[in-house]
Amino acid sequence: MATTSSMFMYSLTIQPPTSVTQAILGQFAGTKEQQIVTASGSRLTIHRPDPTQGKITTILSHDVFGIIRTLAAFRLAGSNKDYIIIGSDSGRITIIEYVPAQNQFNRLHLETFGKSGVRRVIPGQYLAVDPKGRACLIASAEKNKLVYVLNRNAQAELTISSPLEAHKPQTLVFALVGLDVGYENPVFAVLEVDYTECDQDSTGQAFQEVEKLLVYYELDLGLNHVVRKWSDPVDRTANMLLQVPGGGDGPSGVLVCGLDNITYRHLNQDAFRVPIPRRRGATENPERKRCIIAGVMHKMRGAFFFLLQSEDGDLFKVTIDMIEDDNGQPTGEVKKLKIKYFDTVPIASNLCILKSGFLFVASETGNHHFYQFEKLGDDDNETEYDSDSFPADPTEAYRAVYFHPRPSENVNLVESIDSMNPQLDCKVANLTDEDAPQIYSICGSGARSSFRMLKHGLEVNDIVDSELPSVPAAVWTTKITRNDEFDAYIVLSFDNGTLVLSIGETVEEVTDTGFLSSASTLAVQQLGEDALIQVHPKGIRHIRADQRVNEWPVPQHRSIVAATTNERQVAVALSSGEIVYFEMDTDGSLAEYDEKREMSGTVTCLSLGEVPEGRVRSQFLAVGCDDSTVRILSLDPESTLENKSVQALTSAPSALSIMAMPDSTSGGSTLYLHIGLYSGVYLRTVLDEVTGELSDTRTRFLGPKPAKLFKVSVKGEPAVLALSSRSWLGYSDPQTKTFMLTPLSYVPLEWGSNFSSEQCTEGMVGIQGQNLRIFSIEKLGSNLLQQSIPLTYTPRKFVRHPEHPLFYTIESDNNTLSIETKQRLLTGETVVNGDGIELPAEEFGYARAQGHWASCIHIVDPINAKSTLQQIDLTDNEAATTIVAVSFSSQSDETFLVVGTGKDVTVSPRTSSAGFIYIYRFLEDGKELEFIHKTKTEQPPSALLAFQGRLLAGIGNELRIYDLGLKQLLRKCQAQVVPNLIVGLQTQGSRIIVSDVQESIVYVVYKYQDNRLIPFADDVVARWTTCTTMVDYETVAGGDKFGNLWLLRCPQKVSEEADEDSSGGHLVHERQYLQGAPNRLALMCHFYPQDIPTSMQKTQLVAGGRDVLVWTGLQGTLGILVPFVSREDVDFFQTLEQHLRGEEAPLAGRDHLIYRSYYVPVKGMIDGDLCERYSLLSNDKKQMVAGELDRSVREIERKISDMRTRVAY
């Protein structure tokens, strides 16, 4: 296989994965405030919980380009800052710190100990830290354990020792935790199984008798080595360890969590065991045992407790009573262990309790939750079970204990953080007739699953919406004196007059402000210390603080057509094409500059920048004329109104704004000229502060209406509000400082201005038709807005109605009671009082039962009703597997909904008693479904597709064509084309692309004359296909279960031969090649994005953008692959990527090239996520890379940002 490719793609992430695999808590910024650090795939994110508002905000997200397996926080004794240890797939241990001043992660240590990759005997799977921060233990799933001693040197810098080994061959590790032993030698507790005898015993006897051990490893700091201090057998089902506080806070030791029981264990102490309470209810199986899947220990002054979560999501509070001495002080010996039901929250991968009284639940599926503690469950009437009533020996039987789940009493949900994990299918479509399409996706599992609509935009918080007497043309806000904190007036300009409103507790009209109310207004400005300016078509009105008014009238037969102001300067353009310039004198009056400057055309717009700090005036005046030019004029006293530079445009400018904004290139702030054109195009160009030259222009199409621009401020930073057919905000990204232009999810506005009052310190005021609107923008972090519609069970696939904006989802859950079985149990004879209550499944999940399936079909209307319209439940233990809309030519092209189901399906090994294909007719424009008939098949259909007016079905390893009959489907043609199981079908013309579950894809041609399906090309590599899409007639893009993306192409000659008009005889008799099809496909591109692709399609994402491949990942990732057009761009990005691999080496020590080539060498792909890290480099590194590439830093940044903005967000 050639490693170079004739085809190149640029891979970009639009939304990083949202599933959290690990969450840790600590004071990473070195302040009293706690932060949460989460790992999602290859991303490390630090969040700041805000206890006052009950919100969580993301501070920084960093892609480490490696698989983050474990995280741990530790603090050296006596310091106030937590460091982070990362266990990854790089074969190295990484210690990093968060630097709040630069808002970035800084790597302190990187110690290599083994090969890279996730391997059985290479440490990185488990990580534990001594609570006093003196040592950490990193272990592999088998055999190897390494202890690193952590300390500080004379300069108070963190040091790390060489590793100490604690290896034991043929030993499997199940859990690992650091013991709290105060300042004695650090001890680590491990759950281990030695399988030496099982390996040698062929009878299986040794496997039955094998013991699981709790082992203590002690690090002797004096002798500097690790000893195996103590081991004792524990319950064979034990799966988790939790550290019990020691030293002066508690008895030390561990809680060992196993199936149906929790045991306290420690060296030289008795064991204490309590059972895990089971749910009681008519639909619950009383014999089903639970295990603990997540837990957290929280220390308070003089006390501690555990919150442990079972696999149903129920939280149990576990406390330990200690024996007291004669003075009532605890002795450190345990008296008993107690457990009681606390509350129910979503099933979590991690729980974190904050000191401020909040609980963060990193959910395994669906949204993450942030709760506030109302109380600690001490005074409720839940039954408490203690260890006195239960035997400590793990082999002895005991009676099961039960509880009734109830709505939450102890915790209260304050924020739900959007997460699209697991994301199972996705479609990009424009159903709302906007200029850009929306993304529709199904995600979540069980009762917490949802249908989501994603839209590019910023969330807007609406504050005021009030109607005005007539339609205003413009609006401004102004202060009265320079030192005012808040605005005092809102000035509205109408066609024939001006209205002034005062801002206070309420907004009301005022008339004694000195403003001229009989004429329309062109500009309003607070001038100097305490004066106001009003520019109207016939002159300039200067209102002094003592209400004296100076008026500058316009020369005869002329009027003012454009005006611009700042706090010391005013410039106006007259209808004759002259520009008049005023500057404020020392006594506060406006002085007119003697000469007027004649422009060649009519002036359409003007802009003065703000007066820079410590200066007397803004240096430049920008003038836009109707001859499609922008001129920069100097305002220096020596060269007033002289031409500095000129820029030609594609259309006449409709708005200008000179603004200083933060700049990622220089690291400081840069002066920009923002230009809006009558054609609806927005340009941003750099204005040189010395020469007035214009350079580095970037353009973006906003909409068909002329663009207007307004200077606003968001989150304390300057931003530009750009209005066309929709409203946009141009701002600096909070993390990277790169310029972003994002539409607002809001009504289109005609005019805007900044707004600041006591109630709303940082908002905007705008005009929409006859309405005055005041709004604010809170979140700049995410530019994808989500709307969610709840679904019943885990969604599997969905399909869109061919004409109407409706979707049809199929949902199914395994080992879950169906609605009919549940109703039968709830109304049965044997139901005891109190057991017949059914709790809401969104919070408590569904009742579980082995071998049962619950499944349904939903009609979803995401546009009008924003809800589900109809639910069709499947009976007889059937589960829906696939869905498609087919128009049958035999029924005069009427479209039907076809659903494939399986009866009594077992997932592994794959078996079922039968399969069915259901046919439904659309009624009421698709808002209702009518059942027509169903056809039985030997196996559940795993893929369906509309093909030439008939139905193409993949059933097992057979491909079939069906037509619609009156009583059932009629089989027309069939062929066995793949070895295992068909999981996907795509078609163009008479070519069918068939995906096999583990043997990649096969190209099949259908010969109509002979009614034959003939496979003619297949793949060289066995790919475990999850999704495919046809890029063109010869090329297919797809993803597999190992997290790879690839593009395969059929050779041109083979493709042409397959489509020859003959009966296909030459294809049938052609010699097979290595037991496969006669021909092979060629690999064009290959890439490892580290998320399992679940859907893929070729589409556009922005108005007027190129076609891209949009793919979605199981963990909630949204990514795109952008094809390169020119070879020159490919060479540029390849070289840039090469330099960044060296300069911006991945944080966790993984080699970027090897990481992106996890299973197959990366081919024909450039990693856009790495290229975008260029803007985060330090200035000298940027200059160095730019020098190597022979380009300027600005040019490189423009190319990188263009790759994204031209095709996506």
Side-chain angles (χ1 to χ4, degrees):
M1 275 191 317
T3 49
T4 55
S5 180
S6 58
M7 181 175 185
F8 273 89
M9 309 286 270
Y10 184 77
S11 159
L12 269 180
T13 304
I14 297 176
Q15 176 180 289
T18 50
S19 76
V20 171
T21 49
Q22 192 95 11
I24 55 170
L25 199 58
Q27 297 170 348
F28 302 108
T31 57
K32 285 270 169 64
E33 191 178 61
Q34 286 180 303
Q35 289 89 18
I36 299 168
V37 169
T38 59
S40 315
S42 65
R43 270 176 200 266
L44 198 62
T45 312
I46 183 162
H47 309 267
R48 177 176 162 264
D50 187 340
T52 51
Q53 293 180 315
K55 280 196 162 59
I56 290 191
T57 48
T58 303
I59 315 175
L60 171 67
S61 183
H62 186 113
D63 198 332
V64 302
F65 299 108
I67 299 170
I68 302 172
R69 297 158 76 188
T70 46
L71 289 176
F74 79 95
R75 176 189 309 201
L76 292 171
S79 88
N80 59 353
K81 179 170 185 169
D82 287 336
Y83 297 103
I84 303 163
I85 306 182
I86 305 174
S88 69
D89 61 340
S90 61
R92 298 162 159 189
I93 186 167
T94 318
I95 299 183
I96 62 168
E97 65 171 338
Y98 171 63
V99 186
Q102 286 128 11
N103 189 25
Q104 65 184 38
F105 290 118
N106 181 20
R107 187 166 71 202
L108 301 172
H109 287 287
L110 187 64
E111 298 292 321
T112 308
F113 52 70
K115 291 179 176 174
S116 61
V118 178
R119 299 165 191 262
R120 207 165 65 161
V121 293
I122 302 295
Q125 188 63 30
Y126 300 101
L127 179 63
V129 175
D130 170 61
K132 292 285 185 271
R134 297 168 299 169
C136 74
L137 173 63
I138 187 164
S140 57
E142 186 183 326
K143 184 184 174 191
N144 294 332
K145 297 180 199 69
L146 297 172
V147 176
Y148 285 91
V149 181
L150 305 163
N151 215 324
R152 56 159 76 88
N153 61 14
Q155 285 79 44
E157 290 165 342
L158 175 72
T159 60
I160 186 167
S161 70
S162 47
L164 306 169
E165 296 182 356
H167 301 338
K168 187 163 189 291
Q170 297 191 312
T171 303
L172 298 173
V173 174
F174 287 83
L176 173 66
V177 71
L179 276 194
D180 190 347
V181 289
Y183 282 106
E184 291 172 23
N185 279 336
V187 177
F188 296 96
V190 186
L191 276 182
E192 289 184 351
V193 167
D194 186 334
Y195 67 84
T196 317
E197 286 172 15
C198 304
D199 239 14
Q200 288 151 6
D201 175 27
S202 57
T203 61
Q205 183 68 28
F207 174 70
Q208 300 300 328
E209 293 167 2
V210 73
E211 285 186 327
K212 192 172 276 188
L213 301 175
L214 173 66
V215 184
Y216 278 11
Y217 286 93
E218 182 181 29
L219 164 67
D220 191 321
L221 289 169
L223 298 173
N224 201 26
H225 74 149
V226 184
V227 288
R228 191 179 163 103
K229 186 176 183 181
W230 174 70
S231 74
D232 207 28
V234 291
D235 183 356
R236 189 163 165 184
T237 60
N239 66 324
M240 196 171 173
L241 294 175
L242 283 135
Q243 158 195 328
V244 178
D249 301 322
S252 188
V254 288
L255 286 188
V256 182
C257 305
L259 187 66
D260 209 36
N261 70 84
I262 297 161
T263 317
Y264 168 79
R265 300 300 302 263
H266 192 36
L267 175 73
N268 305 334
Q269 287 237 23
D270 294 338
F272 295 89
R273 184 163 74 144
V274 289
I276 300 171
R278 305 176 191 175
R279 283 187 183 184
R280 171 156 277 157
T283 56
E284 293 291 341
N285 172 5
E287 296 305 310
R288 185 162 76 87
K289 298 177 175 182
R290 316 294 202 271
C291 64
I292 297 296
I293 55 157
V296 60
M297 181 267 294
H298 185 60
K299 269 197 281 200
M300 299 169 296
R301 282 192 197 89
F304 62 89
F305 66 90
F306 295 86
L307 281 186
L308 305 182
Q309 188 183 40
S310 74
E311 70 225 71
D312 294 331
D314 301 321
L315 288 178
F316 299 101
K317 183 178 176 182
V318 175
T319 48
I320 295 176
D321 280 3
M322 288 193 273
I323 298 172
E324 294 177 350
D325 58 14
D326 305 338
N327 306 330
Q329 292 297 317
T331 57
E333 281 201 37
V334 176
K335 184 172 161 191
K336 59 182 170 186
L337 189 63
K338 298 195 289 195
I339 187 167
K340 69 197 271 195
Y341 172 60
F342 187 73
D343 261 339
T344 302
V345 298
I347 294 174
S349 55
N350 280 87
L351 299 167
C352 298
I353 297 179
L354 282 75
K355 285 182 180 152
S356 49
F358 288 89
L359 170 69
F360 175 67
V361 176
S363 308
E364 210 167 84
T365 67
N367 291 358
H368 308 300
H369 283 188
F370 194 49
Y371 292 92
Q372 184 163 18
F373 282 102
E374 298 291 322
K375 54 190 200 321
L376 290 175
D378 297 327
D379 49 359
D380 56 12
N381 50 13
E382 288 294 335
T383 319
E384 189 164 56
Y385 302 100
D386 63 35
S387 54
D388 293 350
S389 329
F390 300 96
D393 180 9
T395 55
E396 272 186 60
Y398 54 87
R399 64 178 174 82
V401 297
Y402 296 91
F403 72 97
H404 280 292
R406 52 157 169 75
S408 290
E409 287 177 3
N410 300 310
V411 292
N412 171 31
L413 181 65
V414 286
E415 195 190 12
S416 177
I417 300 139
D418 280 333
S419 166
M420 291 173 61
N421 161 54
Q423 182 170 228
L424 295 144
D425 200 357
C426 171
K427 305 262 185 280
V428 180
N430 190 357
L431 302 185
T432 54
D433 288 333
E434 291 174 14
D435 50 4
Q438 307 84 46
I439 298 170
Y440 299 90
S441 123
I442 47 174
C443 43
S445 72
R448 300 183 66 237
S449 52
S450 59
F451 179 100
R452 308 243 172 152
M453 169 176 158
L454 276 83
K455 196 170 141 196
H456 181 220
L458 287 174
E459 197 175 343
V460 172
N461 184 8
D462 216 340
I463 299 165
V464 174
D465 176 9
S466 63
E467 205 172 328
L468 297 165
S470 61
V471 179
V475 61
W476 293 270
T477 54
T478 179
K479 302 173 180 179
I480 296 182
T481 70
R482 178 190 289 196
N483 301 326
D484 285 359
E485 193 181 342
F486 301 120
D487 292 327
Y489 298 138
I490 295 178
V491 182
L492 289 156
S493 168
F494 297 90
D495 290 344
N496 53 359
T498 295
L499 177 70
V500 183
L501 306 173
S502 78
I503 304 168
E505 286 297 314
T506 57
V507 173
E508 50 205 31
E509 187 179 344
V510 283
T511 51
D512 58 349
T513 54
F515 281 103
L516 183 67
S517 59
S518 57
S520 63
T521 302
L522 295 171
V524 172
Q525 173 75 40
Q526 188 274 318
L527 192 79
E529 290 303 321
D530 51 10
L532 293 170
I533 284 274
Q534 177 193 13
V535 183
H536 53 91
K538 287 295 168 200
I540 300 174
R541 202 173 168 86
H542 184 191
I543 306 154
R544 291 309 215 8
D546 52 9
Q547 293 295 322
R548 282 184 302 152
V549 172
N550 297 349
E551 184 89 38
W552 177 84
V554 171
Q556 246 182 338
H557 308 307
R558 294 177 203 169
S559 60
I560 297 176
V561 290
T564 176
T565 59
N566 62 29
E567 66 230 41
R568 300 187 58 89
Q569 297 157 286
V570 179
V572 295
L574 305 181
S575 48
S576 58
E578 293 168 313
I579 287 178
V580 190
Y581 169 63
F582 302 84
E583 203 169 299
M584 197 175 80
D585 268 358
T586 43
D587 63 347
S589 63
L590 274 184
E592 181 186 346
Y593 177 66
D594 307 337
E595 293 171 32
K596 295 184 179 60
R597 167 76 196 260
E598 283 267 3
M599 299 308 282
S600 51
T602 309
V603 177
T604 56
C605 48
L606 297 169
S607 174
L608 280 164
E610 292 289 302
V611 179
E613 195 73 34
R615 295 270 183 91
V616 198
R617 63 179 68 80
S618 164
Q619 296 283 84
F620 303 113
L621 169 66
V623 183
C625 299
D626 62 357
D627 58 357
S628 299
T629 58
V630 169
R631 288 181 168 74
I632 302 294
L633 307 184
S634 164
L635 298 179
D636 252 8
E638 287 82 52
S639 58
T640 311
L641 298 187
E642 274 184 22
N643 223 357
K644 279 285 192 183
S645 63
V646 64
Q647 168 131 0
L649 306 165
T650 52
S651 135
S654 55
L656 295 171
S657 174
I658 296 178
M659 260 168 78
M661 287 180 82
D663 178 22
S664 61
T665 310
S666 63
S669 121
T670 302
L671 205 57
Y672 289 106
L673 171 63
H674 303 269
I675 309 169
L677 306 185
Y678 275 102
S679 57
V681 172
Y682 158 85
L683 296 92
R684 184 184 72 125
T685 171
V686 176
L687 176 59
D688 190 297
E689 295 180 33
V690 181
T691 61
E693 289 292 325
L694 296 173
S695 61
D696 186 37
T697 307
R698 304 192 188 182
T699 60
R700 188 81 181 265
F701 177 63
L702 303 182
K705 282 186 172 176
K708 300 191 187 96
L709 306 175
F710 305 96
K711 180 181 182 212
V712 292
S713 109
V714 178
K715 295 267 178 261
E717 296 278 1
V720 60
L721 182 66
L723 307 178
S724 174
S725 55
R726 57 200 282 207
S727 314
W728 298 69
L729 187 76
Y731 57 98
S732 297
D733 182 84
Q735 280 184 30
T736 60
K737 294 288 175 267
T738 48
F739 183 73
M740 309 274 282
L741 191 65
T742 310
L744 301 182
S745 172
Y746 203 50
V747 291
L749 300 170
E750 274 100 60
W751 199 275
S753 175
N754 236 2
F755 177 81
S756 175
S757 73
E758 279 182 54
Q759 291 80 16
C760 165
T761 49
E762 197 174 54
M764 296 173 210
V765 57
I767 293 167
Q768 175 242 337
Q770 206 172 325
N771 291 15
L772 181 73
R773 287 178 175 257
I774 299 176
F775 58 94
S776 67
I777 294 165
E778 302 294 329
K779 287 185 188 166
L780 289 180
S782 69
N783 60 359
L784 276 176
L785 285 170
Q786 291 190 18
Q787 284 178 348
S788 181
I789 298 168
L791 299 173
T792 309
Y793 305 115
T794 306
R796 303 292 171 176
K797 287 193 170 70
F798 75 129
V799 65
R800 191 195 150 187
H801 191 285
E803 287 134 36
H804 303 290
L806 298 170
F807 287 97
Y808 303 87
T809 65
I810 49 167
E811 298 152 42
S812 58
D813 268 325
N814 195 4
N815 297 340
T816 301
L817 287 180
S818 65
I819 288 184
E820 47 177 334
T821 321
K822 204 156 41 177
Q823 290 310 47
R824 202 172 64 239
L825 288 170
L826 286 169
T827 53
E829 303 289 311
T830 54
V831 175
V832 193
N833 189 19
D835 284 0
I837 304 163
E838 194 186 356
L839 291 158
E842 298 79 69
E843 288 173 43
F844 296 92
Y846 291 112
R848 304 222 148 259
Q850 200 67 33
H852 285 257
W853 282 89
S855 184
C856 70
I857 304 166
H858 263 139
I859 305 179
V860 183
D861 180 355
I863 307 302
N864 304 319
K866 293 194 176 4
S867 67
T868 52
L869 303 179
Q870 186 187 0
Q871 177 171 338
I872 300 169
D873 286 297
L874 298 180
T875 53
D876 292 343
N877 205 25
E878 281 182 42
T881 55
T882 177
I883 185 168
V884 71
V886 182
S887 75
F888 286 98
S889 353
S890 59
Q891 303 290 320
S892 59
D893 286 342
E894 186 187 343
T895 305
F896 292 86
L897 188 71
V898 184
V899 178
T901 70
K903 183 172 160 61
D904 306 327
V905 179
T906 314
V907 182
S908 176
R910 192 185 301 119
T911 57
S912 62
S913 58
F916 294 96
I917 301 177
Y918 284 74
I919 305 287
Y920 292 94
R921 179 177 261 129
F922 294 119
L923 303 176
E924 308 274 327
D925 290 341
K927 289 183 182 150
E928 273 184 35
L929 293 176
E930 177 194 24
F931 173 66
I932 306 288
H933 58 62
K934 68 178 184 179
T935 308
K936 189 171 178 181
T937 57
E938 312 82 272
Q939 291 183 9
S942 45
L944 298 172
L945 184 71
F947 176 69
Q948 298 184 354
R950 297 195 281 189
L951 172 70
L952 190 65
I955 295 165
N957 59 1
E958 285 187 348
L959 187 61
R960 294 184 186 169
I961 296 178
Y962 283 104
D963 209 342
L964 188 59
L966 286 175
K967 295 282 178 68
Q968 65 166 36
L969 289 170
L970 310 171
R971 194 188 309 182
K972 296 291 184 191
C973 172
Q974 78 171 37
Q976 196 175 325
V977 293
V978 298
N980 305 297
L981 173 75
I982 295 173
V983 291
L985 296 168
Q986 302 284 337
T987 182
Q988 274 187 32
S990 58
R991 176 168 300 178
I992 304 161
I993 309 294
V994 184
S995 333
D996 182 74
V997 69
Q998 67 183 63
E999 290 290 342
S1000 192
I1001 57 175
V1002 178
Y1003 280 47
V1004 176
V1005 66
Y1006 175 59
K1007 296 293 182 188
Y1008 189 76
Q1009 303 96 320
D1010 285 24
N1011 194 23
R1012 277 174 108 164
L1013 291 160
I1014 309 166
F1016 66 91
D1018 59 13
D1019 196 6
V1020 211
V1021 179
R1023 304 178 197 282
W1024 293 65
T1025 323
T1026 54
C1027 61
T1028 53
T1029 187
M1030 290 186 81
V1031 182
D1032 58 37
Y1033 193 57
E1034 264 95 33
T1035 318
V1036 175
D1040 64 39
K1041 277 183 189 168
F1042 294 94
N1044 298 303
L1045 291 170
W1046 30 262
L1047 270 91
L1048 298 170
R1049 181 170 283 173
C1050 176
Q1052 184 80 29
K1053 186 162 168 274
V1054 175
S1055 174
E1056 285 165 8
E1057 275 178 15
D1059 286 345
E1060 282 171 8
D1061 274 349
S1062 65
S1063 63
H1066 64 295
L1067 291 174
V1068 180
H1069 301 304
E1070 203 166 350
R1071 202 156 134 229
Q1072 287 192 341
Y1073 180 65
L1074 301 176
Q1075 285 89 45
N1079 303 292
R1080 290 290 175 266
L1081 304 171
L1083 178 71
M1084 303 303 292
C1085 301
H1086 202 286
F1087 189 69
Y1088 174 75
Q1090 211 221 305
D1091 196 353
I1092 298 169
T1094 53
S1095 80
M1096 206 169 199
Q1097 73 187 95
K1098 181 176 152 191
T1099 180
Q1100 291 176 357
L1101 279 182
V1102 293
R1106 288 213 312 274
D1107 272 358
V1108 292
L1109 285 175
V1110 178
W1111 67 275
T1112 56
L1114 187 72
Q1115 300 178 0
T1117 317
L1118 277 176
I1120 56 170
L1121 304 177
V1122 189
F1124 278 104
V1125 180
S1126 73
R1127 185 74 211 192
E1128 184 193 350
D1129 280 353
V1130 174
D1131 294 342
F1132 168 79
F1133 278 102
Q1134 265 186 326
T1135 323
L1136 175 65
E1137 189 184 31
Q1138 210 173 326
H1139 283 301
L1140 286 172
R1141 280 180 185 145
E1143 295 307 323
E1144 177 65 12
L1147 191 67
R1150 189 82 169 104
D1151 183 297
H1152 176 267
L1153 180 62
I1154 298 174
Y1155 165 67
R1156 288 301 189 200
S1157 312
Y1158 228 107
Y1159 295 97
V1160 173
V1162 65
K1163 176 178 178 180
M1165 284 272 190
I1166 285 162
D1167 187 357
D1169 295 341
L1170 179 67
C1171 294
E1172 289 189 343
R1173 290 200 62 80
Y1174 178 77
S1175 62
L1176 297 168
L1177 291 177
S1178 62
N1179 268 353
D1180 28 349
K1181 278 193 176 174
K1182 278 188 194 173
Q1183 295 289 357
M1184 197 182 92
V1185 173
E1188 296 279 345
L1189 288 166
D1190 207 13
R1191 311 259 176 144
S1192 71
V1193 175
R1194 275 200 193 286
E1195 202 178 341
I1196 294 175
E1197 291 200 336
R1198 184 173 83 226
K1199 277 184 99 75
I1200 295 169
S1201 94
D1202 278 359
M1203 277 309 284
R1204 185 184 274 274
T1205 54
R1206 283 189 181 159
V1207 292
Y1209 327 123

